[in-house]
Amino acid sequence: MQSGWKLLMVLCGWHKSCFFNAGFNRRNLVALPVVFCRKEKQQSNYEKNAIRVALNFATLPKDQLNSFLILLLVCLKNNPLFPNLPIAYTALAALVADYQTKLAAAAVGGQIDTAAFNEARNAVIAALRQIAGYIQSLGLTNESDVLSSGFDIIIPGKNTPVPLIQPVFALDNSVPGQLGVNLPAVPNAKAYHVQSCTGNGPMIDLGIFPNTKNIVIPGTTAGTTYSARIQAIGGSTQYSPWSAVMTLMST
């Protein structure tokens, strides 16, 4: 009994007189070490299980940051896991659009355009930090839930980057007027960038898709040949190599 409350005083940094001045005595100190131990155990379990949101977006090169921003817009739109974003989705989309505009201007402009770009970058990074903090505060314990936001996660003991593999897919012309895309999921990918073209024409963006379901090339003409390629987005390297170009005639 005596060793119990003495140990408690050592752990808490209290002097003996502090306990007795606060109304404690040896009798009612009996259960205190158990209470303190249980509280400490609960806190450590929470810290162990909660998934940590990575803030590595702040150091991404400007073009990779642009792709990351597009990915976030895709992942956060109507995501039921994050209904109370500290930055409204429309406001985030406006910051992304401003970043992209200033990025393009800085590529061909002078010092003023570069300064404007840096201001736009700082603004969007500040918004991302707020959103990341909000997601962290939810205390989510499933990696898939946090990754569905578009943000990376911190996995202790896994510091070696894992590159995304090249996507492999096939086209399907079983439905007239469109070409379906049969795409197996790429490990660690968060979204897929799809491009297509007619014949030997230039590739045109179809968009960024958050998963492999329901990806189609719409509005095709029977007897016309179409080509497509896909790039996985996400993970520690942000981009996979582009897939091989697949070609098929529409029905």
Side-chain angles (χ1 to χ4, degrees):
M1 161 61 192
Q2 186 175 2
S3 61
W5 64 262
K6 283 186 176 180
L7 175 61
L8 180 60
M9 287 192 292
V10 172
L11 292 175
C12 296
W14 282 16
H15 188 268
K16 178 179 178 181
S17 61
C18 297
F19 278 94
F20 298 121
N21 290 339
F24 292 106
N25 55 48
R26 288 183 174 85
R27 179 175 301 175
N28 58 27
L29 278 173
V30 173
L32 280 178
V34 178
V35 174
F36 273 73
C37 291
R38 287 178 180 174
K39 183 177 180 181
E40 181 180 354
K41 182 177 181 181
Q42 291 174 354
Q43 183 178 7
S44 63
N45 284 340
Y46 172 82
E47 293 173 351
K48 178 180 179 181
N49 294 329
I51 305 299
R52 296 178 60 192
V53 180
L55 303 179
N56 55 345
F57 55 79
T59 60
L60 290 176
K62 54 187 178 183
D63 291 328
Q64 289 192 25
L65 177 60
N66 183 42
S67 294
F68 179 72
L69 292 172
I70 296 172
L71 172 64
L72 283 186
L73 291 179
V74 172
C75 292
L76 291 176
K77 186 176 183 180
N78 299 322
N79 192 323
L81 290 174
F82 314 109
N84 301 311
L85 293 174
I87 304 295
Y89 183 86
T90 53
L92 177 61
L95 287 172
V96 172
D98 184 57
Y99 175 85
Q100 292 170 336
T101 299
K102 301 294 175 53
L103 174 63
V108 295
Q111 289 183 334
I112 294 178
D113 294 306
T114 300
F117 165 73
N118 290 333
E119 292 169 358
R121 179 186 175 95
N122 291 339
V124 78
I125 290 295
L128 295 186
R129 289 186 184 277
Q130 291 188 54
I131 296 173
Y134 159 70
I135 295 173
Q136 184 69 60
S137 72
L138 298 178
L140 299 174
T141 57
N142 293 326
E143 291 183 10
S144 59
D145 289 341
V146 179
L147 289 172
S148 73
S149 69
F151 286 93
D152 285 330
I153 62 176
I154 297 175
I155 304 177
K158 294 185 178 180
N159 298 322
T160 302
V162 179
L164 295 171
I165 63 174
Q166 185 181 46
V168 177
F169 73 101
L171 296 175
D172 177 12
N173 62 1
S174 60
V175 178
Q178 69 177 38
L179 292 179
V181 177
N182 297 324
L183 172 64
V186 173
N188 299 314
K190 300 175 184 176
Y192 301 89
H193 185 189
V194 182
Q195 294 182 336
S196 69
C197 68
T198 302
N200 295 322
M203 287 287 180
I204 299 174
D205 283 344
L206 285 181
I208 294 178
F209 298 81
N211 53 57
T212 61
K213 298 179 180 179
N214 303 318
I215 301 178
V216 298
I217 302 173
T220 60
T221 302
T224 301
T225 299
Y226 296 85
S227 298
R229 65 177 184 174
I230 299 175
Q231 184 181 53
I233 301 176
S236 57
T237 55
Q238 298 301 319
Y239 303 100
S240 74
W242 281 102
S243 69
V245 174
M246 304 302 294
T247 301
L248 189 64
M249 182 179 293
S250 179
T251 58

